[in-house]
């Protein structure tokens, strides 16, 4: 891996990274992409020689891993810092290189004049090909150092990666992939919401012209961080392009006393020669094997029942017990009591911060409900929103000064709540004590950790502390996990507002979106799969009439949509029609039958016409697959198209059946369902035929989602 010629090369099956890091030079990535078997750093260096041009400096300015002001091409600032206005430009040159372990190096650099040690750590996971990159900045001087910008890393964009895809959205419409039109200059997303955000997901995909979901070269980037962040792509007028991601600091937020070190969050990046599905597969495996602790693989993901859309704040023990009975009957395995169980929380104006069961609603505490849930064979989960306080709460009345604050300004309320200052030890200790008391006294398997507002004024003691607040939230989660190692945690922030690898390194799933509208969910979940595997994507069957969009959707569609995720329910089971309850019960049983494949197989998004969405999960050995095809809106032509299978083994014979929906679903007969007996024993086709010829879809009504099962025989 390390060579004494001034180059480092890191290799996995089909990825190579070559870093130029000769002692005394600025370190930079020469190559990151396709596996190179014989090309040396020296060769690449020569092949990529650039000359200076008229109108520019007399030497060609190279980028570096840091892109520090002072030595990089103008406009590429990945690092800027100063000492009270002095020493504001640096040139970091390599002092020494440390091999941490095979596949992982730290390149230690220094700028003597400003007395800063900058270390870039790069690892390439040889199993998944995912690179991790981070930067540490040490103040080796004798005065305070202010860091304005510090990217986790700076990655040159492969010249062939001409197309860029970002992720945007809003509350109840997260993870919307958008293609970024070609540009000169910069594409910048700055997120100052104090959480990962609904609209600026810290992820990016760069792809070659001809790349599809299934084929072609592409590069993916994700910052594992749940706070303010900046993502930028700079296309210089000399043809080079770079991707940088890191925290986004508020004024003077990041200052280091002499001897202190700043550690950036981790940038996860991967190259795939096998399209965007290949990229996602790398990210999924890396997340599950390297970032998360493997806990979710230890047992099947239990089917959830969440009380929110069933009862909102209207908690009543008898009704909840009845719902628990019903939930157990239909096949639920974990019952989660959402918002409204504590303090004076009878609506969203009051009670946040007072984490004791409400005397009015639960005079005997939560035990009677928990016992009831457990007696029905289900696990129990409970909702918390630890970082928040309503002004109308005992906590706020006792400690009005415990909230984050920008001096001289009033924190704009959002959902009638303020954000607590977790950077203060007494606040974090208090919250730990409150949550600990509930967990210690009750048999609780799971908590839903919510965070329902942006942080507008992340200040403490007059200074901006957004970064420290995010670290303090992580520390509180870590402390709870350390004491309750088997407790599972869901990360929720008004749906998918805090979904990233930083929070997932200490939680077990994300609440993907507050929208339980199955049609919207098809695309929200599709978008989430670029970076997240199905077993961390919380997906619920909502009520017949969606509370957020007002749309009425069939139980068949609602089930089929939640089926491809960590499945759950969030509806009033007493209000659904009996025949829909039967459909639900059948759907949950089917999910359980197939969840080990859903939660371990390789996810493929299919390229489909605009009226449809399709996703597949194929067992790693190709022996089994599930394909979901959803007609979202109806099609212009008389017939739907064929579904071209992907990921199968060409020469294997698969028995193909249509396992969802059951019953007569096509307006005219016979269709392929009868011709190939798809609702019965199915028919046998080779993987080659399914992939090359495709499977003619039956005519269905719009808003029908078909699930095909294919099994090698
Ligand atoms: C947020 C969550 C919801 C629910 C409510 C409770 O909006 O995303 O799922 O928990 O809070 O107030």
């Amino acid at each position: 891996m390390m060579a004494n010629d001034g180059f480092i090369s890191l290799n996995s099956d089909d990825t190579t990274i070559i870093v130029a890091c000769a002692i005394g030079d600025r370190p930079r990535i020469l190559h990151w992409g396709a596996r190179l078997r014989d090309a040396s750093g020296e060769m690449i260096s020569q092949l990529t020689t650039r000359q200076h041009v008229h109108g520019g400096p007399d030497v060609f300015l190279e980028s570096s891993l840091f892109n520090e002001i002072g030595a990089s091409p103008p406009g590429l600032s990945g690092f800027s810092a100063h000492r009270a206005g002095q020493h504001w430009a640096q040139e970091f040159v390599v002092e020494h290189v440390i091999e941490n372990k095979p596949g992982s190096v730290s390149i230690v650099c220094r700028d003597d004049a400003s007395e800063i040690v900058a270390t870039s750590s790069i690892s390439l996971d040889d199993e998944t090909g995912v690179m991790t990159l981070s930067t540490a900045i040490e103040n080796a001087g004798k005065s305070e150092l202010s860091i304005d910008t510090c990217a986790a890393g700076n990655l040159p964009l492969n010249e062939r990666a001409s197309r860029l895809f970002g992720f945007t959205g809003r509350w109840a419409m997260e993870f919307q992939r958008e293609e970024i039109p070609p540009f000169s200059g910069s594409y910048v997303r700055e997120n100052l919401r104090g959480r990962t955000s609904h609209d600026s997901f810290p992820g990016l995909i760069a792809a070659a012209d001809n790349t599809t979901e299934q084929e072609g070269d592409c590069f993916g980037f994700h910052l594992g961080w749940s706070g303010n962040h900046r993502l930028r792509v700079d296309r210089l007028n000399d043809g080079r392009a770079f991707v940088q991601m890191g925290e986004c600091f508020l004024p003077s937020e990041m200052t280091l006393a002499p001897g202190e070190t700043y550690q950036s969050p981790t940038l996860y990046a991967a190259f795939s020669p096998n399209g965007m599905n290949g990229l996602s597969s790398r990210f999924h495996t890396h997340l599950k094997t390297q970032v998360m602790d493997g806990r979710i693989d230890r047992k099947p993901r239990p089917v959830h029942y969440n009380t929110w859309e069933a009862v909102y704040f209207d908690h009543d023990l008898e009704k909840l017990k009845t719902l628990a009975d019903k939930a157990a009957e239909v096949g639920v395995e974990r019952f989660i009591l959402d918002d409204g169980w504590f303090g004076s929380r009878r609506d969203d104006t009051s009670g946040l911060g007072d984490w004791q069961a409400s005397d009015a609603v639960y005079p005997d505490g939560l035990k009677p409900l928990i016992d009831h849930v457990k007696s029905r064979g289900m696990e129990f989960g409970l909702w918390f929103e630890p970082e928040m306080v309503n002004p109308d709460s005992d906590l706020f009345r006792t400690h009005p000064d415990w909230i984050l604050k920008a001096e001289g300004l009033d924190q704009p309320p959002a959902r009638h709540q303020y954000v607590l200052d977790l950077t203060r030890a007494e606040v974090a200790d208090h919250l730990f004590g409150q949550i600990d008391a509930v967990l210690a006294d009750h048999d609780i398997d799971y908590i839903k950790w919510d965070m329902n507002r942006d942080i507008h004024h992340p200040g403490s003691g007059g200074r901006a502390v957004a970064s420290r607040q995010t670290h303090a939230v992580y520390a509180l989660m870590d402390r709870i996990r350390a004491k309750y190692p088997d407790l599972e945690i869901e990360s929720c922030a008004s749906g998918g507002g805090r979904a990233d690898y930083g929070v997932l390194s200490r939680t077990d799933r994300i609440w993907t979106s507050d929208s339980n509208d199955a049609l919207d969910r098809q695309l929200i979940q599709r978008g989430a799969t670029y970076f997240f595997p199905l077993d961390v994507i919380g997906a619920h069957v909502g009520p017949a009439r969606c509370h957020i969009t007002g749309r009425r959707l069939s139980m068949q569609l609602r089930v089929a949509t939640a089926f491809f995720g960590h499945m759950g329910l969030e509806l009033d089971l007493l209000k659904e029609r009996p025949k829909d309850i039967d459909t639900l019960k059948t759907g949950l049983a089917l999910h359980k039958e197939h969840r080990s494949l859903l939660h371990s197989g390789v996810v493929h998004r299919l390229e489909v016409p605009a009226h449809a969405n399709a996703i597949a999960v194929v067992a790693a050995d190709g022996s089994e697959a599930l394909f979901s095809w959803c007609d979202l809106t109806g099609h212009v032509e008389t017939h739907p198209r064929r579904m071209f299978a992907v990921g199968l083994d060409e020469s294997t014979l698969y028995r193909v059946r249509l396992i969802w929906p059951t019953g007569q679903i096509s307006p005219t007969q016979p269709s392929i369902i009868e011709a190939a007996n798809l609702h019965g024993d199915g028919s046998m086709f080779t993987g080659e035929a399914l992939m090359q010829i495709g499977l003619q879809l039956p005519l269905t009504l719009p808003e029908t989602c078909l699930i095909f099962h294919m099994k090698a025989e």
Side-chain angles (χ1 to χ4, degrees):
M1 167 177 72
M2 289 250 259
N4 53 12
D5 58 357
F7 301 100
I8 292 170
S9 118
L10 306 173
N11 294 294
S12 69
D13 270 4
D14 43 23
T15 300
T16 292
I17 303 171
I18 296 185
V19 189
C21 56
I23 308 297
D25 282 355
R26 297 172 67 228
R28 69 190 172 98
I29 292 187
L30 283 183
H31 170 79
W32 164 51
R35 174 72 202 260
L36 303 175
R37 287 177 206 278
D38 287 316
S40 66
E42 187 57 40
M43 276 183 211
I44 300 172
S45 193
Q46 275 188 5
L47 281 169
T48 56
T49 306
R50 282 176 162 243
Q51 65 206 94
H52 81 275
V53 293
H54 294 309
D58 293 341
V59 288
F60 184 74
L61 294 181
E62 292 290 3
S63 68
S64 90
L65 277 167
F66 306 102
N67 276 343
E68 65 280 32
I69 294 181
S72 304
L76 246 199
S77 53
F79 179 80
S80 78
H82 61 92
R83 294 184 187 277
Q86 306 283 311
H87 292 295
W88 52 271
Q90 290 77 32
E91 178 170 7
F92 292 123
V93 296
V94 179
E95 216 177 47
H96 61 282
V97 177
I98 303 166
E99 184 171 355
N100 303 313
K101 55 178 184 177
S104 170
V105 290
S106 292
I107 304 168
V108 183
C109 304
R110 176 182 273 275
D111 177 65
D112 279 333
S114 61
E115 298 180 293
I116 300 174
V117 178
T119 302
S120 174
S121 295
I122 307 177
S123 303
L124 180 66
D125 179 23
D126 61 355
E127 190 198 338
T128 61
V130 171
M131 168 189 348
T132 51
L133 197 58
S134 66
T135 298
I137 299 294
E138 182 196 336
N139 179 2
K142 295 195 171 45
S143 59
E144 188 178 81
L145 179 73
S146 299
I147 305 177
D148 294 336
T149 307
C150 180
N154 166 54
L155 290 170
L157 204 51
N158 190 295
E159 289 210 11
R160 295 196 195 119
S162 49
R163 295 162 69 208
L164 290 178
F165 299 87
F167 292 84
T168 185
R170 59 161 162 85
W171 172 70
M173 189 63 86
E174 297 84 342
F175 305 112
Q176 302 298 305
R177 194 188 87 168
E178 61 173 0
E179 181 153 8
I180 300 154
F183 60 91
S184 308
S186 305
Y187 167 78
V188 180
R189 295 297 308 243
E190 287 191 350
N191 166 48
L192 289 176
R193 296 185 183 279
R195 51 181 174 174
T196 322
S197 87
H198 295 83
D199 58 325
S200 293
F201 175 73
L204 184 83
I205 291 175
D209 271 352
N210 55 357
T211 296
T212 63
E213 292 285 9
Q214 207 61 22
E215 284 173 352
D217 285 357
C218 51
F219 300 80
F221 308 82
H222 168 62
L223 187 74
W225 179 242
S226 314
N228 294 343
H229 59 80
R230 180 185 293 115
L231 174 171
R232 57 184 303 155
V233 183
D234 296 285
R235 288 195 184 283
L236 308 190
N237 66 351
D238 59 27
R240 289 176 298 170
F242 299 89
V243 176
Q244 294 175 163
M245 287 189 188
E247 284 191 73
C248 188
F249 299 131
L250 291 163
S252 292
E253 171 174 2
M254 192 49 67
T255 52
L256 301 180
E260 277 187 343
T261 296
Y262 165 73
Q263 176 63 57
S264 80
T266 300
L267 170 57
Y268 298 85
F271 160 73
S272 162
N274 304 314
M276 298 190 210
N277 285 327
L279 199 58
S280 297
S281 162
R282 284 162 192 267
F283 279 120
H284 294 177
T285 312
H286 191 80
L287 175 69
K288 286 182 61 170
T289 60
Q290 307 295 316
V291 180
M292 299 177 77
D293 65 1
R295 204 166 28 168
I296 66 167
D297 293 321
R298 276 179 230 147
K299 65 176 189 195
R301 298 293 73 216
V303 172
H304 280 192
Y305 179 81
N306 181 293
T307 60
W308 180 238
E309 292 204 3
V311 302
Y312 290 106
F313 293 104
D314 191 11
H315 287 213
D316 171 82
L317 182 59
E318 289 316 310
K319 165 133 192 202
L320 289 166
K321 282 181 173 175
T322 313
L323 284 172
D325 292 343
K326 272 272 177 203
E329 257 171 59
V330 295
V332 166
E333 296 158 314
R334 183 184 275 162
F335 182 94
I336 295 111
L337 186 64
D338 208 280
D339 197 355
W341 59 269
F342 51 90
S344 59
R345 188 80 168 165
R346 301 293 78 77
D347 58 35
D348 64 8
T349 63
S350 164
L352 271 181
D354 301 335
W355 300 108
Q356 298 91 26
S358 155
D359 286 341
V361 186
Y362 297 96
D364 300 314
L366 293 174
K367 278 204 172 78
L369 178 62
I370 298 178
D371 289 347
H372 188 82
V373 166
K374 299 264 158 162
S375 76
R376 296 296 180 271
M378 295 182 289
E379 293 185 13
F380 184 80
L382 192 60
W383 183 93
F384 284 93
E385 194 180 358
E387 298 139 73
M388 300 293 164
V389 66
N390 284 125
D392 181 6
S393 66
D394 292 343
L395 180 66
F396 190 79
R397 279 183 283 275
T398 320
H399 297 289
D401 59 326
W402 273 14
I403 61 170
L404 290 168
K405 191 166 176 46
E407 295 307 308
L409 298 177
D410 291 330
Q411 195 185 123
R415 210 189 186 209
H416 319 283
Q417 64 197 53
Y418 293 132
V419 190
L420 291 165
D421 179 356
L422 269 69
T423 70
R424 288 170 63 167
E426 67 273 34
V427 180
D429 287 347
H430 169 84
L431 291 173
F432 176 78
Q434 295 259 299
I435 299 168
D436 183 32
V438 177
L439 295 177
D441 272 5
H442 301 90
D443 188 2
I444 293 175
D445 307 281
Y446 176 91
I447 63 179
K448 174 174 175 181
W449 188 305
D450 213 335
M451 197 276 199
N452 281 321
R453 61 160 294 171
D454 292 340
I455 308 181
H456 294 93
H457 291 160
S460 183
R463 304 287 300 252
V465 293
S467 179
R468 285 176 53 209
Q469 173 81 3
T470 305
H471 281 293
V473 174
Y474 285 170
L476 185 58
M477 287 178 173
D478 292 344
R479 207 167 153 189
I480 290 166
R481 276 176 63 116
K483 179 145 186 203
Y484 299 96
D486 293 327
L487 179 80
E488 288 191 21
I489 304 179
E490 171 179 62
S491 174
C492 172
S494 309
R498 188 153 64 192
D500 60 80
Y501 288 16
V503 81
L504 273 171
S505 68
R506 40 189 54 89
T507 54
D508 303 283
R509 75 168 212 169
I510 54 170
W511 178 225
T512 320
S513 176
D514 273 355
S515 177
N516 289 318
D517 177 306
L519 286 178
D520 286 349
R521 271 292 189 139
Q522 283 281 333
L523 299 181
I524 294 169
Q525 290 171 202
R526 181 183 176 106
T529 63
Y530 282 93
F531 294 92
F532 304 108
L534 299 187
D535 43 353
V536 308
I537 296 179
H540 292 174
V541 174
R545 183 169 187 276
C546 174
H547 291 185
I548 287 176
T549 62
R551 227 173 352 213
R552 285 193 170 277
L553 297 168
S554 71
M555 182 58 89
Q556 286 175 344
L557 176 67
R558 286 178 276 153
V559 165
T561 304
F563 193 95
F564 280 76
H566 178 185
M567 191 172 187
L569 317 180
E570 190 167 335
L571 72 176
D572 187 343
L573 288 165
L574 308 173
K575 289 195 180 137
E576 294 291 316
R577 296 179 301 182
K579 72 172 199 180
D580 286 339
I581 293 286
D582 287 344
T583 307
L584 179 58
K585 208 169 169 176
T586 312
L588 292 187
L590 197 65
H591 174 80
K592 288 179 188 172
E593 193 183 325
H594 294 286
R595 69 184 154 189
S596 68
L597 170 60
L598 288 164
H599 296 163
S600 68
V602 181
V603 176
H604 297 262
R605 292 167 301 273
L606 273 62
E607 303 274 0
V608 292
H611 73 87
N613 178 45
I615 187 167
V617 183
V618 183
D621 64 1
S623 62
E624 194 181 1
L626 286 163
F627 281 77
S628 149
W629 179 285
C630 184
D631 181 354
L632 303 168
T633 56
H635 34 87
V636 174
E637 294 162 342
T638 55
H639 288 68
R641 293 290 177 95
R642 286 185 220 162
M643 180 180 80
F644 294 94
V646 294
L648 303 178
D649 181 54
E650 288 193 345
S651 54
T652 297
L653 261 180
Y654 292 89
R655 180 177 296 282
V656 179
R657 292 186 305 125
L658 178 62
I659 58 170
W660 191 265
T662 52
Q664 188 53 260
I665 54 163
S666 204
T668 61
Q669 289 92 43
S671 71
I672 189 170
I673 300 176
E674 288 77 27
N677 194 20
L678 296 181
H679 264 153
D681 287 342
S683 292
M684 307 293 289
F685 304 99
T686 57
E688 181 185 54
L690 290 163
M691 293 191 289
Q692 296 304 329
I693 311 296
L695 181 157
Q696 172 62 51
L697 292 158
L699 193 59
T700 62
L701 298 179
E703 301 178 0
T704 299
C705 185
L706 308 171
I707 303 178
F708 296 93
H709 181 241
M710 306 185 181
K711 192 156 171 55
E713 278 190 13

